Amino acid sequence: MLLGSVYRYVVLRTWTRILSQGHEAVPEVTVATCQFPVDADVTRNGRYILRQMRSARKHGADIAHFPEACLSGYAGADFPSYEGFDWESLERVTLQILALAGQLRLWVVLGSTHRLTGDHKPHNSLYVIDATGSIVDRYDKRFCSGDPAERTGDLAHYTPGDHPSIFTINGSGAVR
């Protein structure tokens, strides 16, 4: 289903029958993978996300998956650096997304930025939000591009993470 000319919305269904042949039934999980024109405007990005969350739920999705840095924008591509970044706006819109996830009873994987303390660069993160609107995990991009002096690529803007994220939706087992 094409929504407008700039972004798309696709609903994918797991292949329950194939997975459950000869085994106990595997619960079905419907995933909406969402895309839109991300930029440095957190509020605009948030409007796209909220609209696509509603559409995903309307179409029967159990989880809406968004790309990396889709809420915050991608440092080095959408804006030059985190100097002067509007962290308060990012927090405000994130709270709106959490609230809507709870209202819709929709899981969300949200690409954003996680601020660290002190002089540490932020993480390029995916927040795993459950159907109650709570963050259940955060995956921080681990394999960041760039030179060892951290002047280029992801390493110029982000601190790498250190662990994978594994979570269960509707009893369907681990999603990696």
Side-chain angles (χ1 to χ4, degrees):
M1 164 200 238
L2 187 63
L3 300 177
S5 60
V6 191
Y7 62 91
R8 65 187 176 165
Y9 169 89
V10 180
V11 176
L12 302 172
R13 292 207 179 261
T14 56
W15 296 10
T16 305
R17 285 185 218 124
I18 294 170
L19 293 174
S20 63
Q21 288 178 353
H23 305 284
E24 67 180 71
V26 176
E28 182 175 289
V29 175
T30 302
V31 179
T33 185
C34 307
Q35 182 179 353
F36 60 90
V38 175
D39 64 26
D41 186 334
V42 171
T43 301
R44 181 175 27 247
N45 295 340
R47 284 194 301 265
Y48 279 111
I49 292 165
L50 295 169
R51 182 171 47 231
Q52 290 188 0
M53 286 171 62
R54 288 183 187 96
S55 183
R57 194 51 159 155
K58 177 181 170 190
H59 287 87
D62 298 299
I63 184 167
H65 172 263
F66 292 91
E68 76 178 302
C70 71
L71 178 57
S72 58
Y74 205 98
D78 297 319
F79 51 91
S81 75
Y82 280 103
E83 187 174 325
F85 186 78
D86 187 355
W87 293 104
E88 291 76 26
S89 183
L90 182 65
E91 182 178 348
R92 178 181 46 79
V93 177
T94 301
L95 291 173
Q96 291 172 356
I97 292 166
L98 293 171
L100 184 60
Q103 290 170 12
L104 296 174
R105 307 292 299 153
L106 178 71
W107 283 75
V108 176
V109 175
L110 175 68
S112 191
T113 299
H114 181 78
R115 187 179 196 178
L116 298 176
T117 59
D119 292 333
H120 299 286
K121 297 171 191 169
H123 286 305
N124 176 347
S125 302
L126 292 172
Y127 289 100
V128 179
I129 303 165
D130 71 11
T132 69
S134 299
I135 296 172
V136 296
D137 203 355
R138 187 187 80 230
Y139 171 77
D140 302 320
K141 186 175 184 178
R142 299 186 313 166
F143 302 106
C144 296
S145 66
D147 65 276
E150 300 182 357
R151 293 181 306 239
T152 63
D154 291 337
L155 292 173
H157 307 286
Y158 298 103
T159 297
D162 62 5
H163 67 278
S165 176
I166 300 171
F167 54 97
T168 301
I169 300 172
N170 297 347
S172 66
V175 177
R176 298 176 194 258

